[in-house]
Amino acid sequence: MKLREIQAILAAEVFTGADKLDLEVEAGFGSDLMSDVLAFTRGRVVLLTGLTNTHVIHTASMVDAVAVVFVRGKRPDRALIDAAAKMGLPLLGTKLLMYDSCGRLFRAGLKGCSGEVLEPK
Amino acid sequence: MNEARPPLELTIPVRAWDFLAGGDGAARVRQVLQQVGFPPAVIRRVAIATYEAEMNIVIHSQGGELKAQITPAVITIIARDTGPGIPDIDLAMQEGYSTAPREIQEMGFGAGMGLPNIRRCADELAIDSMPGKGTVIKIVIYNR
Ligand SMILES: Nc1ncnc2c1ncn2[C@@H]1O[C@H](COP(=O)(O)OP(=O)(O)OP(=O)(O)O)[C@@H](O)[C@H]1O
Ligand SMILES: [Mg+2]
């Protein structure tokens, strides 16, 4: 799924990375615990979170996330947007809550990262 | 990559409670590995392990440093801090165990997954800690 579709499904605002909306996203991951993100993401993910600090964008960069979506109307400050822009990491924001955001994306066909837990090899 | 070249060494200071600069060390190591052209899967493991070790110094210690030693065959990360040390390493290694205070948890830390993540990413891991003295974590990841 393209980042552009994710933006449309979540009616998301783009804080930075408007030129990168054609990037392909393989899976989604929603969490406010960044070590869980580091532990369990697989492939090129979009990270949904309610936190807006540097820990989030550093974590996203370590796992090569395609983009970060801030849920429940959380807005990053200017410094965070600038830092993400420098990394080339798109930041989006939706007013939807975490569960609703993830649910909409999943319904639209974006899978999660539980694959190796649930699917037989 | 030329095997005969001396290892590339980076030393990066890490300050306690500096959440602005915290993570820059791992980002720098990752950038160097990308420039040298290591495989993405190897870079990812090094980046995650280094970031977890760096942020543990930021949130749990009085400060320290990261050392990265990079050769074509193996990447070694040494994270060293000056205290307070880890009293029970087996307990600290358990998934979900965390002493992160509330205000730190609100920043997205405290899953108790950092050390388990490091173990998962590392080919070799040695943790040496002396209560009151400090902690040294040695992470070895082979390029294969
Ligand atoms: N460098 C360190 N100095 C002192 N104590 C440490 C250090 N690193 C880890 N610890 C102790 O080990 C515990 C577990 O560490 P771990 O990285 O697994 O989880 P965490 O840092 O609490 O949470 P997370 O990494 O998931 O955000 C910590 O809560 C802390 O008590
Ligand atoms: Mg940790």
Side-chain angles (χ1 to χ4, degrees), chain B residues 20-143:
Chain B
L20 267 181
D24 285 356
R28 176 94 188 91
V29 171
R30 178 171 171 270
Q31 187 187 33
V32 168
L33 296 179
Q34 281 176 335
Q35 282 163 357
V36 179
F38 281 91
V42 171
I43 296 176
R44 183 184 164 105
R45 286 163 59 208
V46 174
I48 291 173
T50 308
Y51 185 68
E52 292 285 14
E54 180 175 13
M55 295 320 288
N56 276 356
I57 295 178
V58 173
I59 68 178
H60 301 297
S61 91
Q62 294 150 15
E65 65 175 27
L66 288 176
K67 252 193 203 331
Q69 218 177 65
I70 301 162
T71 73
V74 57
I75 298 144
T76 306
I77 305 289
I78 295 169
R80 181 191 307 272
D81 66 60
T82 56
I86 304 175
D88 185 339
I89 293 175
D90 288 341
L91 184 61
M93 288 300 296
Q94 284 179 21
E95 289 194 4
Y97 177 80
S98 175
T99 60
R102 216 197 128 101
E103 63 266 35
I104 291 288
Q105 289 177 15
E106 280 163 5
M107 298 176 69
F109 298 95
M113 288 299 295
L115 291 173
N117 274 351
I118 294 172
R119 182 173 48 197
R120 196 173 300 130
C121 291
D123 290 311
E124 290 165 26
L125 171 64
I127 302 180
D128 192 7
S129 192
M130 279 269 281
K133 281 266 166 58
T135 301
V136 182
I137 297 186
K138 185 180 174 196
I139 300 159
V140 178
I141 294 174
Y142 294 103
N143 179 22

Side-chain angles (χ1 to χ4, degrees), chain A residues 53-114:
Chain A
N53 59 37
T54 52
H55 190 27
V56 171
I57 61 171
H58 278 135
T59 299
S61 139
M62 292 304 138
V63 298
D64 265 320
V66 178
V68 176
V69 178
F70 301 114
V71 298
R72 51 179 186 266
K74 293 281 161 63
R75 303 186 68 88
D77 63 17
R78 184 33 63 188
L80 198 78
I81 294 172
D82 290 346
K86 235 170 103 184
M87 291 173 175
L89 175 71
L91 299 182
L92 286 73
T94 177
K95 292 207 170 66
L96 294 170
L97 304 181
M98 177 68 101
Y99 181 80
D100 303 62
S101 305
C102 296
R104 286 185 193 208
L105 294 178
F106 199 87
R107 189 177 55 193
L110 186 70
K111 67 182 181 66
C113 297
S114 306

